[in-house]
Amino acid sequence: MFATHYLEEADAYADRIVLIRQGRIVADGTTAEIKAMASGRLVRATLPGADAVALSALAGVEDVELRGDTVLIRAKDSDSVARHLLTTTAARIWRSPRTTWRTRSSP
């Protein structure tokens, strides 16, 4: 048994995943089942100067919407989009109480 926030890591080491939020089990299944449940998520980023065309070109991105400095990215694999934002931009990421990823750029 181990804990992680990354489905990719869990997929590499686990046969079964249990997701817990606020002390309650919210999902329990194989890595494939959990990934299917988590697909099509929304990534919200505060990212001044975001390039919608470049973000749209990321693998699995279905839609990009710009609202001023905020970008909303609907993607099949939110982990991949979040990883891109964290490794290629100045963005920081945090989990909201919901299942949506929210990202904010560094001050």
Side-chain angles (χ1 to χ4, degrees):
M1 180 190 306
F2 70 98
T4 183
H5 288 96
Y6 302 101
L7 284 177
E8 197 170 271
E9 182 179 36
D11 192 27
Y13 298 104
D15 295 324
R16 178 176 168 214
I17 297 173
V18 177
L19 299 178
I20 300 172
R21 180 177 42 206
Q22 298 178 341
R24 299 186 68 182
I25 294 174
V26 295
D28 181 354
T30 67
T31 55
E33 291 169 336
I34 300 300
K35 282 182 176 182
M37 290 171 55
S39 67
R41 298 295 185 200
L42 181 68
V43 177
R44 180 176 298 182
T46 301
L47 196 60
D51 182 348
V53 173
L55 293 171
S56 294
L58 295 174
V61 170
E62 297 171 338
D63 185 54
V64 175
E65 181 182 342
L66 294 179
R67 295 180 185 172
D69 286 346
T70 299
V71 62
L72 303 170
I73 306 168
R74 185 162 311 281
K76 293 179 183 177
D77 184 357
S78 59
D79 283 355
S80 176
V81 172
R83 189 176 309 103
H84 170 80
L85 291 171
L86 288 169
T87 60
T88 64
T89 72
R92 292 180 313 183
I93 195 163
W94 56 278
R95 286 285 282 170
S96 75
R98 294 180 164 185
T99 57
T100 303
W101 285 102
R102 297 181 188 270
T103 307
R104 299 195 69 171
S105 62
S106 300

